[in-house]
Amino acid sequence: MFAADEASRNLGIELLEHGEGTAVLRMTVTPRYDGDSSMVNGHGIAHGGYLFLLADTAFACACNSHGPVTAAAGADIAFVAPAHVGDVLVASAEERTRFGRSGIYDVTLRRGGAVIAEFRGRSRSIRAAAPENTDKCETAHSTTGSTTKESR
């Protein structure tokens, strides 16, 4: 899944670790460049949407680690502290529980040892199995906030 996730990879997000129900990803907050996008908002701090995207990507890798293609059924984030240009952020996702086709995952975003955000995602499996001969984390993609007929 991560290999096909151009949005995350184009932002420089790196998959550091993944396992059953877990994932660890890293991203550096980038400054403004002429003509290029920036992760900084009008207050000069990292835009919350980029922090959400990092957490959601870690969540997607963790919830897709079991094999069935799994999408987000919903997610919430609490911003605890700001991130700034040059900050290296690490998102650690951990499965809390799975029941039927659903799951709950927590993701902590850190800058060094400091927690800057807490994310909780709710997942729903939408297909029986991921394609064969590939790493599970690299075969499916989370679609945040979408509910489809197949995922109900």
Side-chain angles (χ1 to χ4, degrees):
M1 180 211 72
F2 188 76
D5 185 347
E6 291 185 39
S8 297
R9 287 186 301 103
N10 286 340
L11 291 172
I13 294 175
E14 303 168 86
L15 177 63
L16 302 178
E17 302 172 26
H18 62 91
E20 290 292 309
T22 66
V24 179
L25 287 84
R26 176 175 54 208
M27 176 182 82
T28 301
V29 178
T30 60
R32 292 184 205 276
Y33 295 109
D34 290 335
D36 289 341
S37 61
S38 170
M39 294 182 186
V40 178
N41 66 20
H43 297 294
I45 59 175
H47 190 290
Y50 288 105
L51 303 181
F52 188 97
L53 185 142
L54 173 61
D56 185 54
T57 303
F59 162 56
C61 285
C63 72
N64 277 283
S65 66
H66 298 289
V69 173
T70 304
D76 300 292
I77 193 165
F79 301 109
V80 177
H84 301 91
V85 169
D87 285 351
V88 177
L89 309 178
V90 175
S92 301
E94 185 175 337
E95 180 179 278
R96 292 296 176 218
T97 188
R98 287 174 52 217
F99 49 100
R101 292 174 34 216
S102 299
I104 298 174
Y105 295 78
D106 286 338
V107 182
T108 300
L109 268 62
R110 289 185 175 86
R111 176 187 55 237
V115 173
I116 64 162
E118 290 287 348
F119 171 104
R120 173 156 279 188
R122 296 170 304 284
S123 68
R124 184 82 170 161
S125 295
I126 58 175
R127 282 198 294 232
E132 293 184 29
N133 300 324
T134 58
D135 185 336
K136 293 173 194 167
C137 183
E138 296 182 12
T139 60
H141 180 65
S142 168
T143 308
T144 302
S146 294
T147 301
T148 64
K149 184 177 177 183
E150 295 81 19
S151 68
R152 289 187 197 130

